[in-house]
Amino acid sequence: MACEVEEMATIRNFEGFQPVSLKQEGDDQPSETDQLSAEEGDPVKDPEPRQISRQPSVTESTLYPNPYHQPFVSRKYFATRPGATETAMEDLKGHIAKTSGETIQGFWLLTEIDHWNNEKERILLVTDKTLLICKYDFIMLSCVQLQRIPLSSVYRICLGKFVFPGMSLDKRQGEGLRIYWGSLEQQSLFSRWNPWSTEVPYATFTEHPMKHTSEKFLEICKLSGFTSKLVPAIQNAHKNSTGSGRGKGLMVLTEPILIETYTGLMSFIGNRNKLGYSLARGSIGF
Protein backbone atom coordinates (compact mmCIF):
# COMPACT_ATOMS: atom_id res chain seq x y z
CA MET A 1 0.00 0.00 0.00
CA ALA A 2 2.79 2.39 0.78
CA CYS A 3 4.22 1.89 -2.74
CA GLU A 4 0.87 2.64 -4.34
CA VAL A 5 0.52 5.87 -2.34
CA GLU A 6 3.98 6.97 -3.45
CA GLU A 7 3.17 6.25 -7.14
CA MET A 8 -0.09 8.23 -6.97
CA ALA A 9 1.71 11.15 -5.39
CA THR A 10 4.28 11.06 -8.19
CA ILE A 11 1.54 11.10 -10.86
CA ARG A 12 -0.15 14.11 -9.21
CA ASN A 13 3.14 15.96 -9.30
CA PHE A 14 3.42 15.44 -13.11
CA GLU A 15 -0.14 16.62 -13.73
CA GLY A 16 1.03 20.21 -13.35
CA PHE A 17 3.84 19.72 -15.88
CA GLN A 18 4.10 22.65 -18.35
CA PRO A 19 6.10 22.56 -21.61
CA VAL A 20 9.19 24.74 -21.41
CA SER A 21 10.86 26.29 -24.44
CA LEU A 22 14.41 25.07 -24.68
CA LYS A 23 16.52 28.19 -24.98
CA GLN A 24 20.12 28.70 -24.14
CA GLU A 25 21.33 31.61 -22.11
CA GLY A 26 22.17 34.65 -24.19
CA ASP A 27 19.93 33.46 -27.04
CA ASP A 28 17.74 36.51 -27.70
CA GLN A 29 16.29 35.22 -30.97
CA PRO A 30 12.70 34.01 -30.64
CA SER A 31 11.96 30.45 -31.59
CA GLU A 32 9.92 29.50 -34.66
CA THR A 33 6.95 28.68 -32.44
CA ASP A 34 7.08 32.14 -30.86
CA GLN A 35 7.28 33.79 -34.29
CA LEU A 36 4.29 31.88 -35.60
CA SER A 37 2.27 32.64 -32.48
CA ALA A 38 3.09 36.34 -32.73
CA GLU A 39 2.14 36.48 -36.43
CA GLU A 40 -1.17 34.64 -35.89
CA GLY A 41 -2.07 36.63 -32.81
CA ASP A 42 -1.55 40.04 -34.41
CA PRO A 43 -3.32 40.03 -37.81
CA VAL A 44 -3.48 43.83 -37.98
CA LYS A 45 0.22 44.32 -38.37
CA ASP A 46 1.48 43.96 -41.87
CA PRO A 47 5.14 43.10 -41.62
CA GLU A 48 7.49 43.95 -44.42
CA PRO A 49 7.50 41.28 -47.15
CA ARG A 50 10.27 38.85 -46.63
CA GLN A 51 12.55 37.77 -49.41
CA ILE A 52 12.21 34.02 -49.80
CA SER A 53 15.00 32.33 -51.66
CA ARG A 54 13.97 29.19 -53.48
CA GLN A 55 16.33 26.61 -54.78
CA PRO A 56 15.61 25.82 -58.43
CA SER A 57 13.96 22.44 -58.76
CA VAL A 58 15.97 19.96 -60.71
CA THR A 59 14.17 17.11 -62.44
CA GLU A 60 16.38 14.27 -63.47
CA SER A 61 15.43 12.81 -66.86
CA THR A 62 17.03 10.12 -68.91
CA LEU A 63 17.81 11.33 -72.40
CA TYR A 64 17.70 8.59 -74.99
CA PRO A 65 19.55 8.88 -78.32
CA ASN A 66 16.28 9.99 -79.89
CA PRO A 67 14.42 12.62 -77.87
CA TYR A 68 11.42 12.46 -80.22
CA HIS A 69 10.57 8.77 -79.96
CA GLN A 70 10.24 6.38 -77.04
CA PRO A 71 12.61 3.41 -77.36
CA PHE A 72 10.10 0.73 -76.36
CA VAL A 73 7.86 1.82 -79.26
CA SER A 74 10.64 1.71 -81.84
CA ARG A 75 11.71 -1.79 -80.73
CA LYS A 76 8.35 -3.13 -81.89
CA TYR A 77 9.39 -2.52 -85.51
CA PHE A 78 11.68 -5.28 -86.71
CA ALA A 79 13.31 -2.87 -89.15
CA THR A 80 14.90 -1.08 -86.19
CA ARG A 81 16.47 -4.24 -84.76
CA PRO A 82 20.28 -4.23 -84.94
CA GLY A 83 21.52 -5.44 -88.31
CA ALA A 84 18.09 -5.69 -89.97
CA THR A 85 18.48 -2.90 -92.52
CA GLU A 86 22.12 -3.82 -93.14
CA THR A 87 21.08 -7.38 -93.98
CA ALA A 88 18.38 -6.10 -96.33
CA MET A 89 20.90 -3.87 -98.11
CA GLU A 90 23.34 -6.74 -98.62
CA ASP A 91 20.60 -9.07 -99.88
CA LEU A 92 19.33 -6.58 -102.44
CA LYS A 93 22.84 -5.57 -103.53
CA GLY A 94 23.66 -9.21 -104.17
CA HIS A 95 20.44 -9.73 -106.12
CA ILE A 96 21.04 -6.69 -108.34
CA ALA A 97 24.65 -7.66 -108.95
CA LYS A 98 23.55 -11.12 -110.15
CA THR A 99 20.60 -10.04 -112.29
CA SER A 100 21.42 -6.67 -113.87
CA GLY A 101 24.77 -5.43 -112.58
CA GLU A 102 23.43 -1.89 -112.28
CA THR A 103 24.96 0.68 -109.94
CA ILE A 104 22.94 1.43 -106.82
CA GLN A 105 22.64 5.14 -106.10
CA GLY A 106 20.63 5.01 -102.89
CA PHE A 107 18.69 2.93 -100.38
CA TRP A 108 15.58 4.15 -98.49
CA LEU A 109 13.00 2.78 -96.09
CA LEU A 110 9.62 4.43 -96.77
CA THR A 111 5.91 3.77 -96.42
CA GLU A 112 3.89 3.08 -99.55
CA ILE A 113 0.24 4.16 -99.59
CA ASP A 114 -1.75 2.15 -102.10
CA HIS A 115 -4.83 3.29 -104.01
CA TRP A 116 -7.01 2.11 -101.11
CA ASN A 117 -5.07 4.13 -98.51
CA ASN A 118 -3.36 1.07 -97.01
CA GLU A 119 0.12 1.62 -95.55
CA LYS A 120 2.87 -0.80 -96.56
CA GLU A 121 6.48 -0.88 -95.41
CA ARG A 122 8.79 -0.78 -98.44
CA ILE A 123 12.47 -0.61 -99.31
CA LEU A 124 13.30 1.53 -102.34
CA LEU A 125 16.48 1.42 -104.37
CA VAL A 126 17.47 3.72 -107.21
CA THR A 127 19.97 2.52 -109.79
CA ASP A 128 21.13 4.26 -112.94
CA LYS A 129 18.27 2.65 -114.91
CA THR A 130 15.66 1.28 -112.52
CA LEU A 131 13.54 2.09 -109.50
CA LEU A 132 13.10 -0.99 -107.34
CA ILE A 133 10.25 -1.28 -104.82
CA CYS A 134 10.85 -4.15 -102.45
CA LYS A 135 8.51 -5.78 -99.98
CA TYR A 136 10.98 -7.05 -97.40
CA ASP A 137 10.17 -9.35 -94.51
CA PHE A 138 12.25 -7.99 -91.62
CA ILE A 139 11.22 -10.93 -89.44
CA MET A 140 12.57 -13.66 -91.72
CA LEU A 141 15.08 -11.27 -93.35
CA SER A 142 14.07 -12.10 -96.91
CA CYS A 143 12.74 -10.31 -99.98
CA VAL A 144 9.11 -11.25 -100.57
CA GLN A 145 8.31 -9.17 -103.65
CA LEU A 146 10.35 -6.96 -105.96
CA GLN A 147 8.87 -4.53 -108.47
CA ARG A 148 11.07 -3.06 -111.18
CA ILE A 149 10.15 0.26 -112.81
CA PRO A 150 12.34 1.56 -115.64
CA LEU A 151 13.30 5.15 -114.91
CA SER A 152 12.86 6.05 -118.58
CA SER A 153 9.13 5.26 -118.28
CA VAL A 154 8.53 7.67 -115.38
CA TYR A 155 7.03 10.86 -116.79
CA ARG A 156 5.56 12.68 -113.79
CA ILE A 157 6.27 13.18 -110.08
CA CYS A 158 3.85 14.96 -107.77
CA LEU A 159 4.73 16.38 -104.37
CA GLY A 160 2.06 17.65 -102.02
CA LYS A 161 -0.47 17.04 -99.28
CA PHE A 162 -2.90 14.15 -99.29
CA VAL A 163 -6.49 14.97 -100.21
CA PHE A 164 -9.62 12.81 -100.23
CA PRO A 165 -13.11 13.04 -101.67
CA GLY A 166 -15.48 15.10 -99.58
CA MET A 167 -17.54 12.04 -98.55
CA SER A 168 -14.52 9.99 -97.51
CA LEU A 169 -14.65 8.59 -93.96
CA ASP A 170 -10.98 7.67 -93.58
CA LYS A 171 -8.62 10.57 -94.23
CA ARG A 172 -4.97 11.07 -93.45
CA GLN A 173 -2.82 14.10 -92.78
CA GLY A 174 0.66 14.78 -94.09
CA GLU A 175 2.51 15.01 -97.36
CA GLY A 176 3.77 12.50 -99.85
CA LEU A 177 5.26 11.73 -103.23
CA ARG A 178 3.54 10.07 -106.18
CA ILE A 179 5.42 8.57 -109.14
CA TYR A 180 3.62 7.98 -112.45
CA TRP A 181 4.94 5.61 -115.10
CA GLY A 182 1.78 4.56 -116.94
CA SER A 183 -1.35 6.06 -118.39
CA LEU A 184 -4.26 6.55 -116.02
CA GLU A 185 -6.69 6.46 -118.94
CA GLN A 186 -5.64 2.90 -119.77
CA GLN A 187 -6.12 1.68 -116.20
CA SER A 188 -9.02 -0.75 -116.03
CA LEU A 189 -11.98 -0.24 -113.74
CA PHE A 190 -11.26 -3.58 -112.09
CA SER A 191 -7.69 -2.63 -111.12
CA ARG A 192 -8.87 0.75 -109.83
CA TRP A 193 -11.38 -0.73 -107.40
CA ASN A 194 -9.48 -3.90 -106.58
CA PRO A 195 -7.53 -3.37 -103.31
CA TRP A 196 -5.04 -6.14 -104.20
CA SER A 197 -4.38 -5.01 -107.76
CA THR A 198 -0.75 -4.77 -108.87
CA GLU A 199 -1.57 -3.05 -112.18
CA VAL A 200 -1.85 0.47 -110.80
CA PRO A 201 0.36 2.74 -112.98
CA TYR A 202 1.66 4.84 -110.10
CA ALA A 203 3.03 4.53 -106.59
CA THR A 204 2.58 6.83 -103.60
CA PHE A 205 5.04 7.15 -100.73
CA THR A 206 5.42 8.96 -97.45
CA GLU A 207 7.98 8.87 -94.65
CA HIS A 208 8.37 5.81 -92.45
CA PRO A 209 7.07 6.23 -88.86
CA MET A 210 10.52 5.33 -87.49
CA LYS A 211 12.19 8.31 -89.15
CA HIS A 212 13.17 9.94 -85.84
CA THR A 213 14.44 6.77 -84.15
CA SER A 214 18.11 7.49 -84.83
CA GLU A 215 20.41 9.39 -87.14
CA LYS A 216 20.62 6.38 -89.45
CA PHE A 217 16.85 6.16 -89.88
CA LEU A 218 16.57 9.92 -90.19
CA GLU A 219 18.72 9.58 -93.30
CA ILE A 220 17.12 6.57 -94.98
CA CYS A 221 13.50 7.48 -94.11
CA LYS A 222 13.62 11.07 -95.33
CA LEU A 223 11.37 11.66 -98.32
CA SER A 224 13.28 14.73 -99.47
CA GLY A 225 16.50 12.72 -99.66
CA PHE A 226 14.80 10.10 -101.83
CA THR A 227 13.37 12.77 -104.14
CA SER A 228 16.73 14.52 -104.54
CA LYS A 229 18.27 11.28 -105.85
CA LEU A 230 15.30 10.06 -107.88
CA VAL A 231 14.69 13.17 -110.01
CA PRO A 232 18.22 13.49 -111.52
CA ALA A 233 18.35 9.71 -112.03
CA ILE A 234 15.13 9.84 -114.06
CA GLN A 235 16.36 12.82 -116.06
CA ASN A 236 19.60 11.02 -116.92
CA ALA A 237 17.65 7.91 -117.87
CA HIS A 238 15.50 9.96 -120.26
CA LYS A 239 18.60 11.44 -121.89
CA ASN A 240 20.22 8.05 -122.36
CA SER A 241 17.03 6.30 -123.46
CA THR A 242 17.08 5.03 -127.06
CA GLY A 243 13.78 3.19 -127.02
CA SER A 244 10.39 4.34 -128.24
CA GLY A 245 9.31 5.60 -124.84
CA ARG A 246 7.49 8.75 -124.06
CA GLY A 247 10.50 10.93 -124.76
CA LYS A 248 8.74 13.92 -123.23
CA GLY A 249 10.99 14.36 -120.26
CA LEU A 250 10.01 14.50 -116.62
CA MET A 251 7.45 16.80 -115.04
CA VAL A 252 7.86 17.55 -111.33
CA LEU A 253 4.71 19.14 -109.94
CA THR A 254 3.69 20.47 -106.55
CA GLU A 255 0.01 19.66 -106.18
CA PRO A 256 -2.36 17.76 -103.85
CA ILE A 257 -2.23 13.98 -104.05
CA LEU A 258 -5.71 12.49 -104.37
CA ILE A 259 -6.44 9.17 -102.68
CA GLU A 260 -9.84 8.13 -103.97
CA THR A 261 -11.32 6.15 -101.10
CA TYR A 262 -14.73 6.61 -99.50
CA THR A 263 -15.65 4.19 -96.71
CA GLY A 264 -12.05 3.14 -96.00
CA LEU A 265 -13.01 0.41 -93.53
CA MET A 266 -10.20 -1.93 -94.57
CA SER A 267 -7.54 0.79 -94.41
CA PHE A 268 -8.93 2.05 -91.10
CA ILE A 269 -8.44 -1.36 -89.49
CA GLY A 270 -5.13 -2.08 -91.19
CA ASN A 271 -3.47 1.28 -90.58
CA ARG A 272 -4.55 1.54 -86.95
CA ASN A 273 -3.03 -1.88 -86.25
CA LYS A 274 0.04 -1.33 -88.48
CA LEU A 275 -0.68 -4.50 -90.46
CA GLY A 276 1.54 -3.32 -93.31
CA TYR A 277 4.69 -3.35 -91.15
CA SER A 278 6.92 -6.10 -89.78
CA LEU A 279 5.87 -5.52 -86.21
CA ALA A 280 6.16 -7.42 -82.93
CA ARG A 281 2.59 -8.16 -81.87
CA GLY A 282 2.96 -9.77 -78.48
CA SER A 283 1.90 -13.35 -77.94
CA ILE A 284 -0.34 -13.57 -81.02
CA GLY A 285 2.58 -13.34 -83.46
CA PHE A 286 2.76 -11.60 -86.80
Side-chain angles (χ1 to χ4, degrees), residues 59-184:
T59 303
E60 294 183 0
S61 61
T62 304
L63 296 179
Y64 294 96
N66 164 39
Y68 308 102
H69 205 85
Q70 297 179 352
F72 71 91
V73 176
S74 64
R75 294 191 196 107
K76 295 172 63 178
Y77 290 80
F78 280 88
T80 63
R81 302 291 175 92
T85 54
E86 289 79 5
T87 302
M89 289 183 191
E90 293 300 323
D91 290 346
L92 294 173
K93 284 180 181 179
H95 176 77
I96 294 172
K98 291 180 181 179
T99 55
S100 63
E102 298 175 6
T103 303
I104 299 175
Q105 299 184 11
F107 174 99
W108 293 271
L109 177 66
L110 299 176
T111 295
E112 181 181 4
I113 302 173
D114 67 8
H115 58 299
W116 274 54
N117 197 31
N118 296 302
E119 295 181 0
K120 301 176 181 179
E121 189 175 49
R122 292 292 183 263
I123 293 176
L124 283 86
L125 292 93
V126 175
T127 70
D128 49 354
K129 296 180 180 179
T130 311
L131 169 65
L132 294 99
I133 304 173
C134 174
K135 178 183 178 182
Y136 196 85
D137 185 352
F138 283 100
I139 300 176
M140 299 302 296
L141 297 177
S142 62
C143 179
V144 178
Q145 181 183 1
L146 188 62
Q147 183 180 9
R148 292 175 173 270
I149 302 169
L151 294 180
S152 58
S153 66
V154 178
Y155 66 95
R156 185 169 66 172
I157 292 178
C158 292
L159 301 165
K161 296 182 178 180
F162 298 115
V163 294
F164 291 78
M167 299 297 292
S168 179
L169 300 178
D170 184 28
K171 300 179 181 180
R172 70 166 59 244
Q173 303 295 324
E175 300 178 349
L177 164 77
R178 178 168 288 177
I179 306 168
Y180 295 87
W181 61 83
S183 174
L184 295 177

Side-chain angles (χ1 to χ4, degrees), residues 2-3 6 14 20-21 26-27 32 38 53 79 95-96 101 133 135-136 159 167 176 185 202 217 245 255 260 279:
C3 293
E6 291 179 359
F14 281 99
V20 178
S21 176
D27 188 1
E32 292 183 2
S53 61
H95 176 77
I96 294 172
I133 304 173
K135 178 183 178 182
Y136 196 85
L159 301 165
M167 299 297 292
E185 292 79 11
Y202 60 84
F217 281 92
E255 62 182 18
E260 198 172 359
L279 199 69

